[in-house]
Amino acid sequence: MSLSMHHLAKLPYFYPFEFGDGKITVLSDGPLELGDPRLNFLGVEPRTVSLMLEDNFLPTNKVVLEQNVPLVEINGRTILFDTGMGSSKAFGPTTGRLLASLREAGRDPTEIDAVVLSHAHIDHIGGLCDGNGRLNFPNADIFISERDFTDWTDGSSIDSSFQFQIDNARRNLLPHKDRTFFFKDGEEFLPGVHAISAPGHTLGHHCFMLQSGNDRLCFLGDLTHHHILLMERPMMEFRYDTDPKLSARSRTRVLDMLATDRIAVMSYHFAWPGAGHVVRNGDGFRYIPSPMQLLAHR
């Protein structure tokens, strides 16, 4: 028996777990409807995509991605990584619930003092502002790569098919440039937060290595959109990548490092709540979800 997205939308959609001397609470922006996997995951035969999904008990006619937003409390900072779709329903009616998830977790948007953006696509920056252009997180500084800020607010180097993404980036980012800061590859731009350049999905896309006490975790952003397809076949291409081949190289490089060093991961689009580990598996990788923690609410 399975729960429909209609019923899931009525359930609390947050998950807290301990992380070093701090805490991470995964907040959902709601499931995102991507559509026919054979049109979105490319570079292999469509039948191969269908068989991979079928072998893992997943629908072969559609892909629904999660949107896992980590609220990270470490080293005296309260940091939100990515912000969901906001009011846009471009990828289905169940997106845009980040603020509701935050309230369900007993938290207030004013508590967040930093918003870190992995890249400038709508499902990651769409919830930065409300419909009137006001910041949803009024006390937060904003961190993003300069490359993505420039590419997606200027728009001249972006294919015209992404115009709605450009319009969204301008609406969310440009009015708040005075509180926006740029990080560089390898930089510890917040205490315990290092940037890892992983271009391809966008040319300024980054992952983030988090550390608190003895614990490390890498927030992958959109390094890989699917816990089966782009893990088992990391050189497969994804329709929404700016440079699919560069994205595949970044994906393989970062996943190989995480598997070698046995570092925990959290992915924005993996099955809820998106936290686990990566191991090598033949020519690709396998994602192993972490067991659920029983954490007293604090």
Side-chain angles (χ1 to χ4, degrees):
M1 180 179 179
S2 62
L3 290 172
S4 68
M5 283 194 282
H6 173 73
H7 289 104
L8 282 173
K10 297 181 179 180
L11 298 174
Y13 225 158
F14 69 95
Y15 171 59
F17 60 93
E18 293 178 349
F19 178 66
D21 301 322
K23 174 181 169 183
I24 295 177
T25 303
V26 187
L27 307 166
S28 177
D29 191 58
L32 182 152
E33 299 175 9
L34 192 61
D36 188 338
R38 295 163 299 183
L39 301 179
N40 289 296
F41 297 92
L42 309 172
V44 298
E45 290 295 324
R47 178 61 178 157
T48 299
V49 174
S50 296
L51 285 172
M52 291 174 71
L53 294 169
E54 184 178 336
D55 287 348
N56 287 276
F57 301 94
L58 294 170
T60 59
N61 62 333
K62 65 177 180 179
V63 167
V64 177
L65 304 178
E66 289 287 349
Q67 296 183 95
N68 306 311
V69 179
L71 176 65
V72 179
E73 298 169 82
I74 57 171
N75 306 318
R77 303 300 298 265
T78 301
I79 311 165
L80 192 71
F81 287 82
D82 291 339
T83 67
M85 287 286 297
S87 59
S88 172
K89 300 301 179 185
F91 290 99
T94 55
T95 64
R97 79 174 326 273
L98 175 61
L99 294 178
S101 297
L102 190 67
R103 289 191 294 270
E104 289 164 359
R107 309 304 296 269
D108 190 274
T110 60
E111 298 175 46
I112 295 164
D113 55 48
V115 173
V116 176
L117 303 170
S118 61
H119 63 295
H121 279 174
I122 190 171
D123 52 325
H124 296 259
I125 68 169
L128 188 61
C129 300
D130 66 16
N132 296 312
R134 293 186 295 258
L135 282 174
N136 282 323
F137 312 100
N139 296 324
D141 292 326
I142 301 162
F143 297 84
I144 189 171
S145 71
E146 186 173 13
R147 180 64 187 265
D148 254 37
F149 186 97
T150 301
D151 279 358
W152 293 89
T153 57
D154 174 75
S156 61
S157 64
I158 305 298
D159 188 274
S160 60
S161 63
F162 286 93
Q163 186 61 48
F164 82 104
Q165 298 263 24
I166 297 166
D167 293 342
N168 175 75
R170 289 171 174 165
R171 183 178 69 82
N172 278 279
L173 295 176
L174 286 178
H176 309 292
K177 189 173 181 179
D178 61 338
R179 65 196 305 162
T180 299
F181 300 87
F182 302 134
F183 47 71
K184 298 184 185 303
D185 180 31
E187 179 184 1
E188 184 178 13
F189 61 96
L190 289 167
V193 182
H194 285 82
I196 302 173
S197 179
H201 181 54
T202 64
L203 297 183
H205 177 271
H206 280 68
C207 306
F208 303 99
M209 187 68 73
L210 315 179
Q211 182 152 5
S212 176
N214 294 322
D215 286 353
R216 286 194 297 170
L217 178 145
C218 187
F219 176 59
L220 301 180
D222 276 5
L223 184 75
T224 168
H225 286 74
H226 199 276
H227 62 291
I228 300 297
L229 299 176
L230 293 175
M231 294 294 290
E232 291 186 1
R233 290 177 175 259
M235 300 308 289
M236 189 185 294
E237 298 179 4
F238 182 61
R239 174 185 171 190
Y240 293 98
D241 286 342
T242 299
D243 185 332
K245 288 181 169 45
L246 177 59
S247 181
R249 293 196 299 272
S250 290
R251 179 161 49 249
T252 303
R253 169 177 55 84
V254 175
L255 291 177
D256 187 68
M257 178 269 291
L258 296 170
T260 298
D261 295 343
R262 299 176 63 85
I263 295 171
V265 303
M266 218 202 97
S267 178
Y268 190 79
H269 285 303
F270 281 9
W272 172 260
H277 284 82
V278 172
V279 296
R280 292 188 188 85
N281 184 38
D283 293 332
F285 302 89
R286 184 161 58 96
Y287 167 66
I288 303 175
S290 292
M292 180 174 286
Q293 292 189 25
L294 297 178
L295 177 65
H297 194 69
R298 66 184 190 188

